[in-house]
Amino acid sequence: MAIYHMQAKVVSRGSGRSAVAASAYMSCSRMYNDYDGIQHDYTRKQGLIYQEVMLPPMAPLEWNDREQLWNAVEENEKTKDSRLAREFVVALPVELDKDSNISLLQNFIQKNFVDMGMCADFAIHNTDGHNPHAHILLTVRPLNENGTWQYKTEKEYLCIKNGEERGFTASEFKTAQKQGWEKQYRYKVGKKKEYLTSSVAQEKGYERIDKHPKSSRYGRQNPISEQWNSDEQLCIWRANWADAVNEMLARNQINATIDHRSFADQGITEQPTIHEGYIAQNMEKKGMIADRCEINRQIRADNKMLRELKAKVAKLAEAVEKSIPIIAETLEAIRNHMIFTQYHLLHNEMQKEVIHDWMNHFNPILNKYNTVKKKLKAKVTERKELNVKKEKTSILNPIQHIKLNQQLTTITEEIEELKSRKEQLIFQAECSTDKDMTNLSKKYDQMNNNLDILDSQDISLKKQLEKDAAAFREEKFRPEPEQYTELLDTRIQIRPDFRDKLIEQLKGTFGKYYDYHRRDIAANEVDYLNVEDPDVFSHRAWELEYQRKQEMQRNQPVRSRKKSYDMEL
């Protein structure tokens, strides 16, 4: 079925990426990057369906060659953390054929990007035949009418006039200066450094210590770039993609639609799954459990339970109004889901305690190890420098030789002491080599990441618990007050079956980590949240059991009752 997926990313040198490499990857081609001299070869990559470069009218025609286009981008960006391109990854409807998907992309890119002045490079991939998607690479710097690049940001000087501060670009300052605006420079004022205008500083005799005038931190952004980079524009693009896909599906008479809005905005109570990525999927294929896949499995299980609850609520609406058995089943189903959710929270809390204990144990060891390692490296470097110095010292200078030998002896002893300390820390960490310590450090970072994942999961679980509690309260007060006893008795009769289902679900989800004691704690906390007294249930259950036994005794024949009485005696 058609799904909505539109991921926006920025290709920047600061994150270690290049526009040439990104284009070569998505077009499955070989491209040379003039900026760093690296050849990127992705000709062996499989799954390329279609690729194309689309240019606005003012762009040079030679940029139809993607290698020339992206090398022109790389050449124009000078800094080591420059933003080079914007990349979108969109899911294409599996219901559409290749030509329809190509037409869909071309129209969308032309209207939303090229018509705004961007150069677009896109490719369609479908490696396994079930996941058609497209990569769209866009330029982020606007073009002039003659095909040259515009600026992204322009230096903005913060000037003063009558105590008011305002920003001006270099061209604007020429006019502003005539109106009395002055640039600010840094001056030494006693022991402090302050920004002052030249006129004020000259009156007080302060010394200027910096030739650069005060300016805004990031400069003034090009208004076109500002629009392209805005959150509002991204929302427009997301909505336009949904509209374009739905229009193409309707044109092909396919009964399916997608929606760019979040589940919450659509009024859908199900939790969305998270992006797993190929690393997590490869781990699963190898038989290992990936955190992201595990979270998605749990989300799907919760969504399935939620859909079952919704189905039961719908069934309840269609049934006879205020039907006690249906209300009782719905209440117990909601209670089961709440207990499962609360159990999950308690399980996460246990996991976090274990992780915290592990981290608290190894954190000081790793910190000390890293400190000792840095000191050791510095001492080894210092010893090398002393050896070089000693070699260069003339033998006719014995005093200097003696002094250097003493320093070498001292530093060698310190190195040995640091090595010994490092070995102790390695032993303390239950490791054998430096490589083991590196792996331990990576594991520590992974543990820290796991804590973030658990915290994020807890937020979702708590929200779900609140929704279930609200649904429980709504169902609980559907019957009339005189029906409460009947509802209580019905719930008591069906609860054992629901308890068995819950235990089976908990064991299936948590496996060997299932703990009946934790289940009981979760049940008590849910009953407290629902303002229900477990003692009332147990007392009423005892009364019903007693009444059942009395009724059985009354229904027994006289001879059977006498025999039973004699046996008891």
Side-chain angles (χ1 to χ4, degrees), residues 28 79 149 161 173 244 255 280 449 473 528 565-566:
C28 301
T79 61
W149 298 109
K161 185 178 84 169
F173 180 69
N255 186 22
N449 186 46
R473 287 192 295 271
Y528 177 79
Y565 177 74
D566 291 341

Side-chain angles (χ1 to χ4, degrees), residues 30 332 501 537:
R30 183 189 296 109
E332 289 303 303
K501 289 179 183 177
F537 271 75

Side-chain angles (χ1 to χ4, degrees), residues 335-536:
R335 179 177 180 270
N336 260 21
H337 190 247
M338 292 179 71
I339 293 173
F340 183 91
T341 305
Q342 184 61 47
Y343 183 98
H344 200 163
L345 283 166
L346 293 172
H347 179 78
N348 284 1
E349 194 62 36
M350 178 271 294
Q351 284 186 305
K352 285 193 276 190
E353 286 179 7
V354 171
I355 291 172
H356 277 302
D357 289 344
W358 187 91
M359 291 176 71
N360 289 338
H361 173 72
F362 285 104
N363 184 45
I365 298 174
L366 286 170
N367 286 340
K368 290 176 184 176
Y369 173 82
N370 289 331
T371 302
V372 169
K373 195 175 177 182
K374 285 180 184 177
K375 287 181 179 179
L376 184 59
K377 186 177 179 181
K379 290 293 181 184
V380 169
T381 303
E382 189 180 345
R383 184 169 65 178
K384 287 180 180 177
E385 290 172 353
L386 285 172
N387 279 322
V388 171
K389 191 175 179 180
K390 181 181 174 183
E391 289 174 2
K392 291 181 179 179
T393 302
S394 171
I395 58 174
L396 300 177
N397 193 351
I399 296 175
Q400 183 66 15
H401 267 278
I402 292 170
K403 185 179 178 181
L404 287 170
N405 283 333
Q406 288 174 344
Q407 290 177 345
L408 282 167
T409 302
T410 302
I411 204 168
T412 300
E413 290 174 355
E414 290 173 352
I415 287 171
E416 292 304 318
E417 187 177 341
L418 287 169
K419 284 182 177 178
S420 175
R421 178 63 180 146
K422 191 178 80 165
E423 291 299 324
Q424 289 175 4
L425 290 168
I426 291 173
F427 178 77
Q428 228 177 320
E430 301 174 8
C431 294
S432 303
T433 62
D434 288 331
K435 186 177 179 181
D436 293 340
M437 291 297 287
T438 302
N439 291 335
L440 181 65
S441 181
K442 289 179 181 177
K443 185 178 179 182
Y444 184 91
D445 293 338
Q446 182 60 47
M447 288 291 189
N448 207 15
N449 186 46
N450 288 346
L451 285 177
D452 293 337
I453 292 172
L454 289 171
D455 287 338
S456 176
Q457 196 178 72
D458 283 353
I459 293 171
S460 298
L461 291 171
K462 287 174 182 177
K463 286 181 180 177
Q464 186 59 54
L465 202 59
E466 290 173 3
K467 290 179 183 178
D468 288 345
F472 187 92
R473 287 192 295 271
E474 184 178 345
E475 290 301 314
K476 185 177 179 181
F477 295 107
R478 284 173 63 85
E480 299 297 332
E482 57 269 19
Q483 295 177 302
Y484 285 172
T485 302
E486 182 185 354
L487 176 62
L488 178 64
D489 292 350
T490 307
R491 290 178 65 192
I492 288 170
Q493 290 172 7
I494 64 176
R495 180 163 287 187
D497 291 336
F498 277 89
R499 184 188 297 115
D500 292 342
K501 289 179 183 177
L502 174 64
I503 292 171
E504 184 180 351
Q505 185 188 6
L506 289 169
K507 286 182 177 179
T509 302
F510 297 97
K512 64 180 182 180
Y513 297 107
Y514 168 72
D515 186 336
Y516 73 91
H517 180 61
R518 190 177 297 124
R519 183 205 70 210
D520 292 342
I521 294 173
N524 288 334
E525 292 187 5
V526 167
D527 288 337
Y528 177 79
L529 183 62
N530 290 333
V531 196
E532 292 197 314
D533 187 352
D535 292 337
V536 172

Side-chain angles (χ1 to χ4, degrees), residues 187-244:
Y187 289 87
K188 189 173 183 181
V189 181
K191 293 183 178 180
K192 297 181 180 179
K193 299 173 183 177
E194 294 182 10
Y195 277 106
L196 300 170
T197 61
S198 300
S199 57
V200 172
Q202 285 175 5
E203 286 178 9
K204 299 186 178 181
Y206 295 142
E207 178 188 354
R208 193 165 88 179
I209 58 174
D210 194 346
K211 65 178 181 179
H212 300 290
K214 185 179 181 182
S215 58
S216 55
R217 185 174 182 183
Y218 298 110
R220 186 182 299 178
Q221 196 170 16
N222 185 313
I224 300 175
S225 298
E226 190 172 13
Q227 181 190 357
W228 294 356
N229 294 329
S230 66
D231 292 338
E232 293 79 7
Q233 185 61 53
L234 179 59
C235 291
I236 292 171
W237 285 331
R238 287 178 59 82
N240 289 349
W241 174 247
D243 293 341

Side-chain angles (χ1 to χ4, degrees), residues 146-160:
N146 61 0
T148 58
W149 298 109
Q150 294 183 24
Y151 65 90
K152 286 190 206 170
T153 57
E154 194 172 3
K155 198 170 188 68
E156 184 179 48
Y157 301 107
L158 297 177
C159 304
I160 289 280

